[in-house]
């Protein structure tokens, strides 16, 4: 999250800000020279690594030889080498510097998290990028050094590989590092949450204590945020559920007994003092009934919300606008487990216009042009491997074309060479000689609610596993699609199934419940963690539609300009008219004619819904026309 160089006075802040802005100016002017230097530096220091020798680079450091001999790879290509490192092989396989830990990325189609190797010095590189954010932001929003930031930051559990290396998410790695824990006493890194509350592994205690500290310092808060928009909304939903307990703590100056972590209690006690007046204020605002504008009501000096709202996170923009009375939504930086990439130099732009300037010193960047297979659904062609001709299509940072979409390919200091990140970017402009990019999507990701990323292959396998249970009823799955329903929190996956054979209403509801379970069990560990542990994802639904529905979907696509020769059923839909069409084709429950009984499956607004709540409890889900959804909204 936002961090700046150390500063001790207003004059020092100005000096450091100017240094940061000059750095951005210099590296974007000399973008190609910096890229050549970065590539040469990476290749020269790792010349003796097994991977570079195996591919015949022979200690060459020039760009032309590198592009000629080095393959363009995916995670699956590197997996054998990564597994050797994870199992304890300390020889220089990918990188000349020792691998310090693995950063866990989103799940693969095989259901396991990716392990991204990293080295100690990468923490410094990430810290450098953080240090650029507030100098940029301060050009647009004055007075940020006069207050605090209320950011909801969390760590995840970590594991160890067989070889003893730590494996954990990139932000957990950063928050636990000295760069974050021992950051200088700088006004830009002054947060309402003590480190102990951020580093608490118990998600309930962490969220509760961070909200409590944020409320106690409400007048000092000038900016609020989280990493993802979904995480920030979960914080507001948590407040909606627990404000009575929080008010009690503020009124009495004591911490709720459910907060058992001693380090958290000690840290919060330094901030929490009896404040009946503040408790009355919070209670009055939270008990009004409407939560519209709750952010600006409880934290009146807030200037903006700092969250990621690009890509799949854009689905949360209406909720953020509702809770904040349309405060500016700021996306400050672009990063991943593989590498930190760039920053937003126009942070107050509209979310739909967010573009990131890649900082040329972070890694060596290449770009693979992509084409759309289906403009209606937005699907993107994905060659599994590149031949020599396709490799030659990759262009350098300064050679990308305005308006063209590319897949990002990176070569990093930590041992990734010509690695396909999987992000699709569109060139939106230039800062001096460095291009600026809109983030379009993750390649082949069809569903995402939070940090989960479910791709088309994984969804296909999960649906196939589940649909096999219909065979015993002489029924089969004709077609399916999906969408991520974020109309309530937490959001959840919805599958639309069209069946052949026996009438779906004659198949026992328990079968569809089991199908839901099977789909969820077949999805990756990131989804399962969000579903069960973090509770950031709600129960999956299967909605059975009438026969002929997907023919109607194709007809609709053709009216929108799709080609009948190239049409392919979209595996995920987002366009509201399509979702309305699908929902209109769900048969009404008929309990008098062998239909679904409400006591077994959930019927909401006359739409038959099978709900895969983990456990025996059945929870209603919000459908069009419903006012509310029941269930657990904790983080």
């Amino acid at each position: 999250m936002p961090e700046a160089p150390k500063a001790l006075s207003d004059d020092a802040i100005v000096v450091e800000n100017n240094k940061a802005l000059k750095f951005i100016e210099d590296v974007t002017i000399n973008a190609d020279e910096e890229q050549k230097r970065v590539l040469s530096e990476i290749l020269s220091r790792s010349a003796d690594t097994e991977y570079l020798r195996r591919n015949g680079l022979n200690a060459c450091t020039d760009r032309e030889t590198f592009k000629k001999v080095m393959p363009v790879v995916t995670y699956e290509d590197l997996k054998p080498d990564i597994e050797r490192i994870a199992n304890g092989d300390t020889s220089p396989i990918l990188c000349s510097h020792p691998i310090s830990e693995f950063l866990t990325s989103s799940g693969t189609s095989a259901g396991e998290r990716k392990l991204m190797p990293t080295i100690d010095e990468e923490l410094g590189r990430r810290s450098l990028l953080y240090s650029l954010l507030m100098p940029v932001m301060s050009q647009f929003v004055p007075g940020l050094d006069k207050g605090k930031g209320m950011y909801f930051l969390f760590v995840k559990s970590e594991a160890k590989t067989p070889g003893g290396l730590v494996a954990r998410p990139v932000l957990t790695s950063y928050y636990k590092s000295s760069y974050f824990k021992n950051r200088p006493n700088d006004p830009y890194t002054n947060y309402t949450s003590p480190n102990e509350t951020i580093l608490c592994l118990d998600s309930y205690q962490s969220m509760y204590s961070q909200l409590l500290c944020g409320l106690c310092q409400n007048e000092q808060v000038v900016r609020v945020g989280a990493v993802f928009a979904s995480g920030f909304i979960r914080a507001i939903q948590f407040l909606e559920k627990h404000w009575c307990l929080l008010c009690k703590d503020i009124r009495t100056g004591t911490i709720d007994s459910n907060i058992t972590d001693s380090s958290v209690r000690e840290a919060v006690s330094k901030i929490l003092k009896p404040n009946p007046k503040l408790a009355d204020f919070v209670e009055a605002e939270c008990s009004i009934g409407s939560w519209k504008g709750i952010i600006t009501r409880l934290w009146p000096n807030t200037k903006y919300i700092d969250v990621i709202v690009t890509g799949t996170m854009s689905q949360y923009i209406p909720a953020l606008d509702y809770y904040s009375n349309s405060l500016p939504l700021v996306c400050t930086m672009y990063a991943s487990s593989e590498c930190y990439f760039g920053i937003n130099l126009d942070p107050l732009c509209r979310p739909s216009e967010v573009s990131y300037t890649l900082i040329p010193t972070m890694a060596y960047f290449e770009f693979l042009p992509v084409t759309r297979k289906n403009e209606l659904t937005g699907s993107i062609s994905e060659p599994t491997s590149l031949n020599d001709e396709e490799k030659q299509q990759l262009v350098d940072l300064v050679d990308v074309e305005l308006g063209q979409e590319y897949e990002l390919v990176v070569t990093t200091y930590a041992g990734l060479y010509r690695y396909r990140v999987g992000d699709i970017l569109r060139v939106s402009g230039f800062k001096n000689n460095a291009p600026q990019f809109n983030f379009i999507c993750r390649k082949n990701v069809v569903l995402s609610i939070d940090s989960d990323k479910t791709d088309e292959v994984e969804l296909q396998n999960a649906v196939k596993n589940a649909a096999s249970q219909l065979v015993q009823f002489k029924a089969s799955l004709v077609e399916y699609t999906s969408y991520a329903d974020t109309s309530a929190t937490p959001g959840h996956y919805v599958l639309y199934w069209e069946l052949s054979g026996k009438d779906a209403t004659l198949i026992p509801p328990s079968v569809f419940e089991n199908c839901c379970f099977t789909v969820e069990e077949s999805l990756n560990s990131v989804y399962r963690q969000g579903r069960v542990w973090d509770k950031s994802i709600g129960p999956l639904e299967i909605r059975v539609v009438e026969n002929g529905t997907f023919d109607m979907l194709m007809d609709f696509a053709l009216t929108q300009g799709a080609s009948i020769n190239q049409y392919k059923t979209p595996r995920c839909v987002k366009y509201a008219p399509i979702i309305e069409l699908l929902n209109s084709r769900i048969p009404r429950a008929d309990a008098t004619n062998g239909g679904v009984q409400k006591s077994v499956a959930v019927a909401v607004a006359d739409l038959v819904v099978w709900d895969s709540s983990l456990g025996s409890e059945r929870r209603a889900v919000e459908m069009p026309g419903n006012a509310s959804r029941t269930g657990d909204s904790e983080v």
Side-chain angles (χ1 to χ4, degrees):
M1 299 311 297
E3 195 161 319
K6 66 178 181 179
L8 301 176
S9 66
D10 289 348
D11 289 342
I13 290 175
V14 172
V15 169
E16 294 298 330
N17 283 359
N18 289 337
K19 284 182 181 179
L21 297 175
K22 185 178 187 303
F23 170 81
I24 295 170
E25 194 72 15
D26 290 344
V27 298
T28 54
I29 289 174
N30 302 303
D32 199 43
E33 290 81 358
E34 290 290 348
Q35 283 283 276
K36 288 180 182 177
R37 179 190 62 78
V38 166
L39 180 62
S40 178
E41 189 172 80
I42 291 173
L43 298 181
S44 61
R45 63 193 241 174
S46 291
D48 293 330
T49 59
E50 180 182 325
Y51 185 82
L52 294 186
R53 285 190 283 108
R54 184 194 310 157
N55 285 288
L57 194 60
N58 298 324
C60 294
T61 61
D62 62 287
R63 190 172 353 196
E64 293 72 22
T65 305
F66 172 75
K67 290 191 170 193
K68 182 178 179 181
V69 304
M70 294 300 292
V72 180
V73 299
T74 65
Y75 183 78
E76 291 303 316
D77 298 318
L78 298 181
K79 192 174 180 181
D81 288 325
I82 289 173
E83 287 180 342
R84 286 174 55 195
I85 300 170
N87 288 331
D89 191 332
T90 58
S91 59
I93 299 172
L94 294 175
C95 183
S96 60
H97 286 46
I99 301 301
S100 57
E101 63 180 313
F102 285 105
L103 304 177
T104 55
S105 185
S106 56
T108 65
S109 59
E112 298 302 324
R113 292 177 186 263
K114 298 176 184 176
L115 296 176
M116 293 296 167
T118 191
I119 56 180
D120 282 332
E121 72 175 53
E122 280 298 297
L123 282 167
R125 218 166 263 112
R126 294 176 208 133
S127 185
L128 169 64
L129 198 63
Y130 284 132
S131 75
L132 304 177
L133 303 181
M134 295 311 292
V136 170
M137 197 72 217
S138 295
Q139 296 179 106
F140 299 86
V141 182
L144 295 178
D145 57 329
K146 307 304 180 185
K148 295 186 176 185
M150 183 179 71
Y151 284 86
F152 299 106
L153 310 178
F154 303 92
V155 296
K156 300 283 188 180
S157 59
E158 54 190 48
K160 283 198 173 181
T161 68
L165 289 174
V166 173
R168 56 191 178 185
V170 62
L171 289 175
T172 296
S173 171
Y174 184 72
Y175 297 151
K176 287 190 171 184
S177 74
S178 60
Y179 286 92
F180 182 80
K181 291 194 294 185
N182 301 326
R183 61 192 184 277
N185 185 20
D186 186 281
Y188 290 142
T189 62
N190 192 1
Y191 305 128
T192 58
S193 298
N195 287 352
E196 293 82 357
T197 65
I198 295 170
L199 298 175
C200 176
L201 269 174
D202 186 292
S203 58
Y204 175 91
Q205 294 188 59
S206 178
M207 178 67 85
Y208 187 96
S209 56
Q210 291 192 59
L211 267 170
L212 181 58
C213 291
L215 287 168
C216 288
Q217 304 168 81
N218 72 318
E219 294 288 345
Q220 302 174 58
V221 171
V222 294
R223 64 193 196 276
V224 300
V227 178
F228 293 111
S230 56
F232 187 80
I233 289 174
R234 284 207 310 278
I236 302 306
Q237 296 287 343
F238 186 97
L239 174 63
E240 190 171 4
K241 185 173 183 179
H242 298 288
W243 62 265
C244 289
L245 282 176
L246 291 162
C247 284
K248 179 182 176 183
D249 289 357
I250 295 171
R251 190 179 306 280
T252 61
T254 59
I255 308 171
D256 187 76
S257 59
N258 286 321
I259 309 304
T260 58
D261 187 308
S262 58
S263 64
V264 170
R265 293 185 68 87
E266 181 180 354
V268 174
S269 67
K270 296 176 182 178
I271 297 172
L272 178 64
K273 307 299 178 186
N275 192 337
K277 183 178 178 180
L278 177 60
D280 289 342
F281 168 73
V282 174
E283 183 176 10
E285 293 297 336
C286 292
S287 60
I288 287 176
S290 170
W291 277 60
K292 186 178 188 301
I294 193 67
I295 298 299
T296 51
R297 283 155 48 194
L298 292 179
W299 294 277
N301 297 316
T302 303
K303 300 175 184 291
Y304 63 87
I305 302 177
D306 185 353
V307 288
I308 294 173
V309 290
T310 52
T312 57
M313 289 295 121
S314 63
Q315 61 195 334
Y316 298 103
I317 292 173
L320 291 170
D321 287 342
Y322 176 81
Y323 288 127
S324 71
N325 276 334
S326 299
L327 280 175
L329 302 177
V330 172
C331 299
T332 54
M333 67 180 291
Y334 171 39
S336 75
S337 302
E338 294 89 342
C339 178
Y340 277 29
F341 304 119
I343 60 176
N344 181 2
L345 296 181
D346 185 18
L348 293 187
C349 67
R350 293 183 297 181
S352 60
E353 298 173 350
V354 168
S355 66
Y356 300 102
T357 303
L358 269 59
I359 301 301
T361 59
M362 299 303 295
Y364 179 67
F365 302 114
E366 294 178 271
F367 301 87
L368 176 64
V370 299
T371 56
R372 299 280 182 170
K373 289 191 298 184
N374 186 322
E375 289 296 337
L376 181 67
T377 61
S379 58
I380 294 171
S381 59
E382 182 193 8
T384 54
S385 61
L386 301 181
N387 56 37
D388 289 340
E389 182 180 349
E390 289 168 330
K391 281 172 55 178
Q392 293 174 7
Q393 295 178 11
L394 270 73
V395 298
D396 291 317
L397 180 66
V398 299
D399 295 327
V400 296
E401 297 180 4
L402 187 67
Q404 173 66 47
E405 291 184 3
Y406 298 91
E407 180 185 346
L408 178 61
V409 177
V410 298
T411 296
T412 71
Y413 285 89
L416 299 178
Y417 306 93
R418 308 197 88 183
Y419 180 86
R420 299 174 68 173
V421 175
D423 289 355
I424 306 301
L425 311 176
R426 180 187 297 128
V427 183
S428 59
F430 292 86
K431 167 65 174 177
N432 297 320
N433 295 314
Q436 298 174 312
F437 297 90
N438 303 130
F439 178 88
I440 303 302
C441 63
R442 285 283 296 173
K443 180 186 62 185
N444 210 32
V445 168
V446 294
L447 287 171
S448 179
I449 294 293
D450 191 56
S451 57
D452 56 299
K453 296 180 179 68
T454 299
D455 66 31
E456 187 170 333
V457 173
E458 183 179 10
L459 180 63
Q460 171 70 28
N461 290 335
V463 170
K464 180 180 178 182
N465 292 340
S468 64
Q469 300 175 55
L470 303 176
V471 174
Q472 59 183 311
F473 299 97
K474 298 182 180 180
S476 62
L477 182 64
V478 175
E479 268 294 6
Y480 75 92
T481 190
S482 64
Y483 94 104
D485 184 352
T486 57
S487 59
T489 303
H492 64 293
Y493 291 3
V494 176
L495 302 181
Y496 294 95
W497 284 12
E498 181 176 328
L499 307 181
S500 67
K502 200 169 185 178
D503 186 346
T505 60
L506 301 180
I507 299 175
S510 60
V511 173
F512 290 101
E513 292 175 7
N514 288 334
C515 287
C516 287
F517 281 120
T518 301
V519 171
E520 293 201 309
E521 289 168 355
S522 301
L523 297 179
N524 61 62
S525 58
V526 181
Y527 174 89
R528 296 196 304 271
Q529 177 174 323
R531 179 73 180 85
V532 181
W533 179 254
D534 297 337
K535 296 185 176 68
S536 59
I537 304 172
L540 178 142
E541 297 178 46
I542 292 174
R543 303 178 184 177
V544 178
V545 297
E546 296 173 345
N547 291 341
T549 295
F550 282 85
D551 289 337
M552 294 177 64
L553 182 59
M554 182 179 72
D555 291 341
F556 178 82
L558 297 181
T559 67
Q560 301 298 302
S563 166
I564 192 169
N565 294 319
Q566 295 178 311
Y567 177 79
K568 177 185 175 184
T569 300
R571 291 304 173 217
C572 179
V573 295
K574 301 176 183 178
Y575 190 41
I578 292 179
I579 296 171
E580 291 172 6
L581 185 156
L582 291 166
N583 284 334
S584 72
R585 299 284 295 174
I586 300 173
R588 295 176 179 271
D590 183 3
T592 64
N593 188 26
V596 178
Q597 302 295 320
K598 291 187 179 181
S599 60
V600 179
V602 180
V604 181
D606 291 322
L607 301 182
V608 181
V609 177
W610 285 273
D611 181 349
S612 68
S613 296
L614 297 185
S616 60
E617 180 190 5
R618 299 287 177 259
R619 297 195 291 184
V621 292
E622 183 173 26
M623 298 288 293
N626 266 29
S628 64
R629 172 179 179 172
T630 61
D632 195 345
S633 62
E634 292 178 10
V635 63

